[in-house]
Amino acid sequence: DGPRAALRPWRIVDLVFIVPGIAYFILFFSGDFGSVRNGDEHEYFLFVQFILLSRVIRVLSFRRWSREVEVVRRAVIAAGPMLLLPVFLSAQIFLTLASLFVLTENLEHRGHENDFDNLIKGLYWTSHFLIGEWSIVDFSLGGSRVCIFTCVYGMMIFAIPMNIVAEAVQTGLALDAQEKIEAEERERLEAVRAAGRSGLGSLPPGSSTGFVSAS
C-alpha cells in the first residue's frame, strides 16, 4: 500500500490519538506533570485525557467488527436523504428551546439564571432535557411552560432522526443476513458441482450417459 495506507481514515485517527499520548509521557518524565495537572494548564490536561480516552472508538476498526461497521455505515448513508428534514427540524427545536430557557429563567430570576446566563449553557442543559435527563427541575413560571412543551413535543420531535437511523440499520442488518445466507448457499452449490465433476471424471467411459459400451 505504501504512502496511501497512511491516508486511510483509521490511520489518521491513530495519528490524532497517538500525539496526545506522546505529550502525556513527555510531561510525565520531564517533571512538569504535576504543575500542568494542577496549574493554569489544567483545562489542556483534561483535553489531552479526553482524547486519550476517545481511543476506545478504535475498536470499530478491528477486523472482528468490520462487517457490522460497514453495514451500519451503509445504512446511515442510505438514510441520509430521509434525515435531511428531520435533522433540520430537530436542530431548530433544540436552538429554540435553549433560547426560551435562557429568556424565561433570566426574566424571573428564580435561582437558575446562572445556569442559563448564555446560549451555550442553555444548549448544554437543553441537551440533557431532550434525552429525558432533568438535572434541573424547579423552573420559573415561564420555564415550567417551556419544560412542558419540551416533554410533550420536543423529545418526540428530537427522536425522529434516531428512529429513522435505527430503522435503516435494522433493514441493513436484515439484508446483510440475507446476503450471508445466499453466499453460503452458493458456496454449497459450488462444492456439490465440484464434487460431481470430480466424480464423473473417475468413472469409466460411457458412464456419464448411463451405460458402459459393450464392444
Side-chain angles (χ1 to χ4, degrees), residues 33-164:
F33 183 80
S35 61
V36 172
R37 184 174 183 177
N38 301 314
D40 297 334
E41 297 85 0
H42 180 64
E43 294 182 358
Y44 298 102
F45 177 79
L46 293 178
F47 179 71
V48 170
Q49 284 190 319
F50 168 75
I51 296 180
L52 291 175
L53 292 174
S54 299
R55 288 184 297 180
V56 70
I57 68 171
R58 292 187 67 253
V59 71
L60 299 177
S61 68
F62 292 175
R63 185 169 297 180
R64 170 64 180 83
W65 311 108
S66 59
R67 188 179 184 89
E68 288 77 5
V69 171
E70 179 62 20
V71 169
V72 174
R73 186 187 69 84
R74 286 187 299 176
V76 173
I77 292 176
M82 295 184 293
L83 285 173
L84 184 60
L85 184 58
V87 167
F88 174 78
L89 182 59
S90 298
Q92 185 65 40
I93 288 291
F94 184 31
L95 292 172
T96 302
L97 290 175
S99 301
L100 289 175
F101 274 120
V102 172
L103 177 63
T104 55
E105 293 303 310
N106 282 276
L107 283 177
E108 299 187 29
H109 300 286
R110 294 289 297 274
H112 289 296
E113 59 271 13
N114 292 330
D115 294 322
F116 295 95
D117 58 356
N118 57 61
L119 183 59
I120 301 300
K121 289 185 179 180
L123 291 171
Y124 170 75
W125 289 113
T126 305
S127 65
H128 285 226
F129 304 152
L130 287 172
I131 63 174
E133 182 67 31
W134 295 91
S135 306
I136 300 174
V137 293
D138 49 341
F139 295 98
S140 62
L141 180 61
S144 64
R145 302 302 185 268
V146 179
C147 174
I148 294 172
F149 180 84
T150 303
C151 292
V152 176
Y153 297 104
M155 296 172 65
M156 177 180 62
I157 295 174
F158 204 73
I160 293 175
M162 295 304 301
N163 291 333
I164 293 175

